[in-house]
Amino acid sequence: MISIDPKQNSERDNYKLLIGSIIPRPIAFVTTQSEDGIVNGAPFSYFNIVSSNPPMVSLAIQRPNDQLKDTARNIYSNREFVVHIVDEENVAKINETAASLPASESEIELANLTPVPSENVSVPGVKEAKVRMECRLVQAIPLGGDGPGSDLFIGEIVRFHIDEAIYENGRIESRGLNAVSRLAGSSYATIGEIFSIERPK
């Protein structure tokens, strides 16, 4: 085994170790809205479940050059966002939204995604996702010291929207959703083989 002290590494070296070992990572496509009404959309793979009672998710957004990304700035501003699950059918369009645009331009328009109104939050979602979750900010935690840091957001889901084709008896069918996950670099993964192991009693 190779033993590495992260304090002796650069931020980039630690980043490579993290994204290469913590795989696969689910991808959240997040829409937010600026004070000027611009709908921002961006994918993030530092994303997961926090709680089911109430339903909550976490989203960590890095600070390149110690500057807030549009998504983080908008969440701090209006405390609302919509999380979409990235799947094989929408991943190409979602990837287009990772382009660096000025805050005055919408990645939704760039990628030709279709805005749809939300029910419980002011931020629109996009039609091209089979699952979307309207969220309200519960807690925001700035992390990191000098140089690149991040902001950890915890949001409570106030409305689920699920494609009826993949929903049955309160469950989402994994193959129907066909979610993709993030690996390292430009690599992604599909669901692949599914197997079961019973938990011990």
Side-chain angles (χ1 to χ4, degrees), residues 47-171:
F47 155 67
N48 222 312
I49 299 167
V50 173
S51 166
S52 57
N53 184 27
M56 293 192 289
V57 292
S58 65
L59 178 69
I61 301 177
Q62 304 306 291
R63 289 189 181 189
N65 303 315
D66 208 27
Q67 300 295 312
L68 287 176
K69 289 189 175 182
D70 294 341
T71 300
R73 186 182 309 106
N74 292 343
I75 293 174
Y76 273 120
S77 175
N78 71 10
R79 305 181 66 83
E80 295 179 341
F81 55 101
V82 181
V83 169
H84 309 72
I85 301 301
V86 179
D87 61 56
E88 277 197 272
E89 292 178 21
N90 64 27
V91 66
K93 282 193 170 188
I94 298 302
N95 185 56
E96 291 180 38
T97 69
S100 296
L101 295 184
S104 59
E105 295 182 28
S106 171
E107 295 85 355
I108 306 300
E109 293 178 11
L110 172 74
N112 290 314
L113 292 163
T114 312
V116 290
S118 292
E119 295 183 24
N120 290 48
V121 300
S122 60
V123 179
V126 298
K127 183 180 180 180
E128 287 77 7
K130 295 172 188 165
V131 175
R132 70 181 187 271
M133 298 167 269
E134 300 178 17
C135 299
R136 288 204 183 100
L137 182 65
V138 172
Q139 191 169 3
I141 308 168
L143 300 169
D146 297 332
S150 67
D151 294 270
L152 175 64
F153 299 101
I154 298 173
E156 180 178 348
I157 300 165
V158 294
R159 178 73 64 174
F160 288 99
H161 300 274
I162 302 162
D163 186 333
E164 60 271 13
I166 65 168
Y167 179 82
E168 187 174 354
N169 297 325
R171 298 177 184 272

Side-chain angles (χ1 to χ4, degrees), residues 21-39:
S21 58
I22 301 175
I23 57 172
R25 297 187 306 282
I27 307 168
F29 175 64
V30 181
T31 54
T32 57
Q33 194 162 20
S34 72
E35 291 180 351
D36 296 326
I38 305 297
V39 179

Side-chain angles (χ1 to χ4, degrees), residues 19-20 22-25 27 45 181-189:
I19 67 166
I22 301 175
I23 57 172
R25 297 187 306 282
I27 307 168
S45 67
S181 57
R182 197 77 168 85
L183 304 178
S186 58
S187 297
Y188 292 76

